[in-house]
Amino acid sequence: MTDLVIYYTRTNKTKTIAEEIAKEKDAQLLEVIDKTNRDGSIKFLTSAIDAMRGKKTSIEYDAVDLSEYDTIYIGSPVWASKPTPAILEFVEENDFNNTNVISFVTLISNGADKALDNLNDAIKSKGGKIIRSFSIITKDTDIIQLTHDALNDE
Ligand SMILES: Cc1cc2nc3c(=O)[nH]c(=O)nc-3n(C[C@H](O)[C@H](O)[C@H](O)COP(=O)(O)O)c2cc1C
């Protein structure tokens, strides 16, 4: 069995971190694509409002049987102190029974604990067991180094 790293990204920070985890853990990667257009500053605002209100979205990803993996890493940017609609939709659509999950969020400053609580509650309600969570500040920092620090903290 192997590990799986699931992530959503809008501006590639969470993707960079997910790829680093996959490299370090020799894990597979699964990107969740949000079908809602989130480009530009107007969409930035509507995306924050969508996240704040827990609005649903349509997503695309390769179908996967989560029970086939040892550890599932699942990562999302923080939007308005919440996980992204795309990651919450992925959790909603999938069975996490008998899975061990490490959740993580990326952000520039505030909202990591709130977003992780929200994400972890959603995963637990789908049967997943949260074994660890971490957050990575992506502003003006060496996110590769921070990813290694977080993984070596296990
Ligand atoms: C709509 C929106 C809302 C955001 N809200 C927050 C926030 O509440 N707190 C925070 O620290 N960063 C916030 N950010 C910044 C992102 O969480 C951060 O830049 C993240 O690392 C981006 O990940 P990505 O490049 O994978 O999309 C927000 C970004 C967007 C686009």
Side-chain angles (χ1 to χ4, degrees):
M1 295 235 284
T2 174
D3 294 347
L4 178 68
V5 188
I6 302 161
Y7 68 96
Y8 165 75
T9 194
R10 176 175 169 270
T11 51
N12 287 335
K13 303 276 190 191
T14 313
K15 179 181 185 164
T16 303
I17 291 161
E19 286 175 348
E20 199 55 31
I21 297 171
K23 208 161 82 184
E24 181 92 356
K25 300 288 172 187
D26 204 14
Q28 289 175 21
L29 276 166
L30 180 67
E31 181 173 9
V32 178
I33 310 275
D34 193 336
K35 290 209 239 170
T36 305
N37 178 12
R38 308 250 180 223
D39 296 339
S41 46
I42 301 280
K43 299 290 180 194
F44 179 103
L45 265 180
T46 54
S47 295
I49 292 165
D50 286 354
M52 216 154 40
R53 295 187 175 157
K55 191 159 182 251
K56 288 180 74 67
T57 191
S58 288
I59 55 173
E60 271 176 12
Y61 53 93
D62 294 334
V64 65
D65 180 353
L66 299 179
S67 68
E68 285 179 2
Y69 296 89
D70 275 328
T71 302
I72 314 261
Y73 291 80
I74 183 162
S76 172
V78 173
W79 285 4
S81 302
K82 292 277 182 66
T84 48
I87 278 297
L88 287 177
E89 183 59 30
F90 179 88
V91 174
E92 178 64 30
E93 291 181 12
N94 283 274
D95 181 3
F96 280 76
N97 275 309
N98 301 315
T99 61
N100 288 321
V101 181
I102 298 180
S103 58
F104 66 98
V105 290
T106 77
L107 71 164
I108 52 172
S109 57
N110 291 314
D113 289 351
K114 229 179 125 190
L116 278 172
D117 281 352
N118 197 304
L119 178 57
N120 290 349
D121 283 349
I123 293 165
K124 283 188 250 173
S125 79
K126 297 292 294 186
K129 182 177 165 205
I130 306 292
I131 55 173
R132 245 194 98 208
S133 295
F134 61 87
S135 58
I136 293 187
I137 301 282
T138 55
K139 193 176 186 205
D140 302 330
T141 46
D142 182 348
I143 60 176
I144 301 288
Q145 184 58 47
L146 289 176
T147 305
H148 280 268
D149 293 348
L151 291 175
N152 292 325
D153 226 29
E154 281 175 45

